[in-house]
Amino acid sequence: MAFDLPMIRTVYERMPERIQAARQLLGRPLSLTEKILYSHLWEGQPSQAFERGKSYVDFAPDRVAMQDATAQMALLQFMSAGRKKVAVPSTVHCDHLIQAKDGASADLRSALDKSSEVFDFLQSVSNKYGIGFWEPGAGIIHQVVLENYAFPGGMMIGTDSHTVNAGGLGMVAIGVGGADAVDVMAGMAWELKFPKLIGVKLTGRLSGWTSAKDVILKVAGILTVKGGTGAILEYFGDGAESLSCTGKGTICNMGAEIGATTSTFGYDAKMGDYLRGTGRAEVADLADAIRAHLNADPEVYADPARYFDQVIEIDLSTLEPHVNGPFTPDLATPISQFAEAVRTQGWPETLEVGLIGSCTNSSYEDLTRAASVARQAKDKKLKVQSEFTITPGSEQVRYTAERDGLLSDFDAIGGVVLANACGPCIGQWARHTDDPNRKNSIITSFNRNFAKRNDGNPNTHSFVASPEIVTALAIAGKLSFNPLKDKLINEEGQEVFLDEPRGLEMPPKGFDVKDPGYHEPAADGSAVSVVIKEDSERLQKLDPFKPWNGQNWEGLYLLIKAQGKCTTDHISMAGPWLRFRGHLDNISNNTLTGAVNAFNGKTDSVKNQLDGAYGAVPATQRAYKAAGIGSVVVGDHNYGEGSSREHAAMQPRHLGVLAVLVKSFARIHETNLKKQGMLAITFAYEADYDKIREDDRFDFLDLTEMAPERPLKLRLRHSDGSSDEISVLHSYNAQQIEWFKAGSALNLMKD
């Protein structure tokens, strides 16, 4: 079934004229990224050239996608916006609130029991406002979007950082906070700083154990977790055209781990095959008709250094499988060097769990490659030596994989198939362990591996690889195994090799599914009621944040000076806290509990300036709020990297934090802070971070004169009577300053 065909036709009909206008404005050939961006301007026909990395631009995305954990807050905000129906096609996908524990059926039943209130809310609010609803068990948002909604040349935003997965079908798909989604669903423009462009030229062909996952693992090692910040990666070359559509999606998906705004590929035959294979032949025919507009101009790829801000080249023919980690997704090690790294670094060699799936690697092709390893393991009388779990990406993938015998291949060697949901990838995992704090190793085909992310244990060394490498290592039961050259001892004491994996891009008998789990919204939702119980612990109606008082802030307290990596997981943990994603006050009790206090090296332990005692971060901030005292959070580099969750901005705001001062921000988090009326600022001189003392008071000296590109002055008053005056920077434009003054972007929308 092809959704939204009239909308797609409209997008394609206007693209040629808009692209030609942009080409004339810039006076040069265009990259694919530029073609998509300039053809989605809010103003319609392009009338000016924008400066990469500097110009703020209003766009008109084609659609919005939301997952259940972030949709709650997004839709609570949308309900406050006074609109009767969403202005663009939008969907909700229930994939985050299913905890992995005992297997697909049992885990799904448990989720329906525990989270029925939230699912009922999401279904009813979707029905009321014209939003498509994908029920629990239907699949992981990004795989479902790729199968049903993504289309070449389109622009989509989604309330999840891995929305970028849709770049595998040639979209510019960008992860955002819920407030951004509200703007678009309410029929307003969506603002983004015009990104820089990084070109990634792929040559050669993948072979053997190497897969598309290894491309992005290699790129992550090159660019690091912040090397793509403010940029869109555009992949091209004959190697790019050789990759399957879902393989392209894998590469784009994990681009979120290098801070990239998004990643994309030009339209090619593989995308056309995937569109037709997933029941969207009409979309493929439309794309074929404007194929030239769905790729960069030939001159761009012929001389990429002239048109991209940075160019990376990777020869797929020589690319090795990689294993990234632990504790960060950019620590990239080729498989030939990984065993030595395990020994040298002292990482636990015994592998306790191997997990395949997640939004990054749960396609039919992924499962076939991993299942081919499992099948030969059975034939060679091997079984997994580690716990082994498998997560299909959608009900369509699961149903088809079961029909084709793939799931029985996993079962035969001891694998357990989990629900079609995020599960362990986001910490929704009741891990089977006799010691939840033991130093241990796991390996996944997921995307993120920050400390505590998967199971809450800071001693879990989590590594990331392709599904087939994960399967092979789970069979071996140790990280030091290299399936490209090492032998295993089978049940009969014989030495055996694992042969190279074999995969199928598409099911030979086509996809099939009995019930995909989709619910079409009512044509007229005016009579639909959305009920939120007054005493609910899961859902809470939102009260507007207070506007800025128009004065310079004085005497603000320091809440915490965070040291080192401080991701959205550190600011607002997932896992068991997901149940409170629709209740701002309850979830605020996890605020910054994972951040490391620079003054004592501990988490969730800060000095309460009112009584001098050390206590939990949220409790300390609640004490300041009760006393009518505003506060400041200080952070390190790339503050707020990771998930798009706007709770990491809303929670400090709700508790009374007024400003966040850091060395640098991750893109989505900085935008989320701005949207919620927070003051997001950076040190003009990074060394000034060291001037912040535990008992400091903060005075903003010229906040009343805040203007675009104008630094602010901040006085640090120390407890010994001395003081420092420092300069801080901000990236607010005139519109964003109005958000700050109004108390939030939503407040401004309602005025």
Side-chain angles (χ1 to χ4, degrees), residues 216-547:
I216 187 58
L217 295 178
K218 174 73 171 180
V219 171
I222 294 170
L223 290 178
T224 78
V225 292
K226 58 183 180 180
T229 301
I232 291 180
L233 274 68
E234 184 172 323
Y235 291 83
F236 63 95
D238 62 325
E241 294 178 5
S242 73
L243 298 172
S244 69
C245 181
T246 53
K248 292 178 172 75
T250 291
I251 293 169
C252 293
N253 180 295
M254 202 172 158
E257 272 50 73
I258 57 173
T261 301
T262 192
S263 305
T264 195
F265 285 78
Y267 178 66
D268 58 21
K270 297 286 189 179
M271 293 186 191
D273 291 343
Y274 188 75
L275 286 168
R276 291 184 170 86
T278 51
R280 294 174 287 170
E282 303 99 323
V283 179
D285 291 342
L286 290 171
D288 286 340
I290 62 163
R291 179 183 293 263
H293 299 298
L294 301 177
N295 280 277
D297 290 332
E299 298 92 333
V300 174
Y301 294 159
D303 189 8
R306 285 187 60 190
Y307 301 100
F308 292 99
D309 298 289
Q310 180 180 354
V311 177
I312 297 169
E313 294 193 27
I314 298 175
D315 181 356
L316 302 184
S317 301
T318 60
L319 181 65
E320 278 190 66
H322 277 60
V323 181
N324 286 27
F327 306 128
T328 185
D330 60 350
L331 180 56
T333 307
I335 192 71
S336 61
Q337 302 171 26
F338 187 61
E340 179 61 26
V342 170
R343 289 187 286 268
T344 302
Q345 299 298 326
W347 299 329
E349 183 178 5
T350 299
L351 180 64
E352 296 199 7
V353 194
L355 307 99
I356 67 172
S358 86
C359 64
T360 318
N361 281 106
S362 56
S363 67
Y364 184 85
E365 181 185 22
D366 290 323
L367 294 185
T368 59
R369 284 180 65 85
S372 75
V373 178
R375 193 177 310 118
Q376 58 169 299
K378 177 191 174 185
D379 294 342
K380 295 177 181 182
K381 297 181 172 52
L382 294 166
K383 286 194 174 182
V384 289
Q385 301 302 305
S386 309
E387 186 178 343
F388 182 48
T389 69
I390 303 93
T391 303
S394 69
E395 177 57 14
Q396 178 169 266
V397 166
R398 188 211 65 79
Y399 190 94
T400 305
E402 183 177 46
R403 180 201 67 190
D404 295 349
L406 304 181
L407 302 189
S408 61
D409 289 331
F410 295 125
D411 180 71
I413 63 168
V416 175
V417 178
L418 301 176
N420 313 320
C422 300
C425 183
I426 59 166
Q428 280 283 64
W429 183 23
R431 183 177 173 185
H432 305 140
T433 177
D434 56 4
D435 182 358
N437 299 307
R438 179 180 59 248
K439 185 178 179 182
N440 71 99
S441 291
I442 67 174
I443 191 166
T444 80
S445 68
F446 305 164
N447 39 54
R448 291 196 179 122
N449 58 345
F450 304 134
K452 298 185 180 181
R453 177 170 174 87
N454 299 124
D455 61 3
N457 179 5
N459 298 307
T460 292
H461 294 57
S462 179
F463 299 88
V464 180
S466 67
E468 48 269 48
I469 291 293
V470 171
T471 304
L473 267 61
I475 292 167
K478 56 183 181 180
L479 290 178
S480 56
F481 175 67
N482 180 353
L484 280 70
K485 68 179 186 65
D486 295 340
K487 295 180 180 179
L488 293 170
I489 306 297
N490 70 8
E491 295 173 353
E492 297 179 350
Q494 300 171 323
E495 288 188 337
V496 295
F497 273 117
L498 290 176
D499 300 323
E500 295 175 352
R502 304 292 181 192
L504 298 171
E505 294 182 14
M506 304 287 287
K509 293 186 288 186
F511 282 109
D512 195 10
V513 64
K514 184 177 181 181
D515 178 8
Y518 175 70
H519 298 259
E520 185 78 14
D524 180 2
S526 58
V528 177
S529 297
V530 179
V531 179
I532 300 175
K533 296 186 297 184
E534 289 293 332
D535 60 347
S536 174
E537 293 185 348
R538 301 289 299 271
L539 299 165
Q540 179 188 44
K541 290 183 179 179
L542 296 174
D543 292 324
F545 291 131
K546 292 181 180 179

Side-chain angles (χ1 to χ4, degrees), residues 520-599:
E520 185 78 14
D524 180 2
S526 58
V528 177
S529 297
V530 179
V531 179
I532 300 175
K533 296 186 297 184
E534 289 293 332
D535 60 347
S536 174
E537 293 185 348
R538 301 289 299 271
L539 299 165
Q540 179 188 44
K541 290 183 179 179
L542 296 174
D543 292 324
F545 291 131
K546 292 181 180 179
W548 175 49
N549 62 10
Q551 301 175 6
N552 286 324
W553 293 328
E554 296 182 350
L556 304 189
Y557 284 13
L558 174 69
L559 174 59
I560 186 172
K561 179 180 177 180
Q563 184 178 49
K565 190 181 290 288
C566 191
T567 72
T568 49
D569 280 290
H570 295 91
I571 305 168
S572 174
M573 292 183 182
W577 288 96
L578 284 173
R579 67 186 186 276
F580 295 131
R581 282 286 180 86
H583 197 293
L584 183 56
D585 193 57
N586 282 347
I587 199 170
S588 292
N589 288 323
N590 78 2
T591 303
L592 286 157
T593 54
V596 176
N597 183 353
F599 297 109

Side-chain angles (χ1 to χ4, degrees), residues 140-156:
I140 303 173
I141 175 173
H142 311 303
Q143 180 66 28
V144 173
V145 165
L146 197 70
E147 292 175 8
N148 294 277
Y149 299 111
F151 67 97
M155 173 181 272
M156 177 177 71

